[in-house]
Amino acid sequence: MTNQEVTPYAGTATKKEQVATMFNNISHTYDFLNHFLSLGIDIIWRRKAIRELSSIQPRKILDVATGTGDFAFESIKILHPDKIVGVDISEGMLEVARKKIAERNLGHVFSVQLGDSEGLHFDDDTFDAITVAFGVRNYENLEKGLADMLRVLKPEGKIVILEFSKPRTFPIKQGYNFYFKYITPFFGRLFSKDKRAYTYLPESVAAFPDGQAFTQLMEKVGYKNTKHRSLTFGISAIYTGTK
């Protein structure tokens, strides 16, 4: 499953290149829009996801699709790791992350670098834990991305993935679809000047194999003890697995 059919823009660039361009375009308004459009619930989701790692107390964490670093900053607060490395394919997003790291004096714990999930520049068995928040649905090749993350995870290490999913019950499903189809793109256009970015969002969520389909894919690649936990009426979900 390549996850490839849905891309942010028309044209011949690969999904990966288009996603990088899109995030470069919206990097400066991304944090604000995220919290605004999710009514701040995304912060609660992030905390829940991070607490999935409390029991293993990871010392070294990899945050894939780190974006502007929000998930990693929460992880530092809750888990107090020795080291977090964030990777992202968007230089624009990383620029914002670097600024935030400097402002918070967290350079000794948190560093970021350009990179992507399908070809991580780390040795096998490097990290105690891997986190991905709202990133996997942008992978060009989902299976390859999951496999490479598994490779750099230490034996017994744990992965936590937070991602949007599709609510299936009335009236949540209908309300959610309306919000995602009309409200999100409207504000996205208003604030970010990239109207495609926020129409791509609902399309990418619709195309993503959520729920059991995703845990099955994780198992196929080699993750063990996979679990999926629905949040806020199924608007998003936490997936976990171990190596």
Side-chain angles (χ1 to χ4, degrees), residues 174-214:
Q174 288 69 15
Y176 171 87
N177 289 343
F178 178 81
Y179 189 76
F180 243 10
K181 252 203 173 89
Y182 302 104
I183 311 289
T184 306
F186 171 76
F187 283 109
R189 272 199 297 277
L190 199 64
F191 291 113
S192 82
K193 314 285 182 275
D194 184 335
K195 62 175 189 289
R196 252 319 272 158
Y198 288 89
T199 9
Y200 162 74
L201 180 69
E203 290 168 7
S204 66
V205 174
F208 181 70
D210 62 347
Q212 207 182 343
F214 188 69

Side-chain angles (χ1 to χ4, degrees), residues 56-214:
I56 67 161
Q57 286 298 300
R59 297 292 85 216
K60 198 171 181 194
I61 301 174
L62 174 66
D63 187 39
V64 180
T66 195
T68 63
D70 270 8
F71 203 55
F73 290 122
E74 270 313 315
S75 293
I76 292 168
K77 252 186 251 168
I78 294 170
L79 300 169
H80 314 292
D82 299 331
K83 194 96 194 98
I84 291 197
V85 182
V87 297
D88 201 279
I89 57 173
S90 161
E91 194 46 73
M93 296 287 265
L94 291 176
E95 220 171 278
V96 179
R98 284 189 195 105
K99 237 183 235 142
K100 284 156 82 171
I101 292 167
E103 278 162 14
R104 295 165 199 205
N105 291 323
L106 286 171
H108 59 294
V109 186
F110 182 21
S111 62
V112 294
Q113 59 191 66
L114 205 60
D116 82 87
S117 57
E118 291 159 38
L120 295 163
H121 302 299
F122 304 104
D123 294 336
D124 298 5
D125 312 329
T126 301
F127 297 95
D128 301 312
I130 296 179
T131 55
V132 195
F134 308 116
V136 286
R137 69 174 196 289
N138 298 321
Y139 288 9
E140 187 167 270
N141 185 327
L142 193 47
E143 216 167 295
K144 203 171 158 197
L146 285 170
D148 208 46
M149 291 193 296
L150 184 66
R151 176 184 70 75
V152 302
L153 198 56
K154 283 182 186 168
E156 310 299 315
K158 189 172 182 180
I159 189 167
V160 176
I161 295 168
L162 175 62
E163 190 51 270
F164 287 116
S165 57
K166 300 179 276 288
R168 288 170 168 81
T169 53
F170 176 85
I172 305 296
K173 178 182 172 178
Q174 288 69 15
Y176 171 87
N177 289 343
F178 178 81
Y179 189 76
F180 243 10
K181 252 203 173 89
Y182 302 104
I183 311 289
T184 306
F186 171 76
F187 283 109
R189 272 199 297 277
L190 199 64
F191 291 113
S192 82
K193 314 285 182 275
D194 184 335
K195 62 175 189 289
R196 252 319 272 158
Y198 288 89
T199 9
Y200 162 74
L201 180 69
E203 290 168 7
S204 66
V205 174
F208 181 70
D210 62 347
Q212 207 182 343
F214 188 69

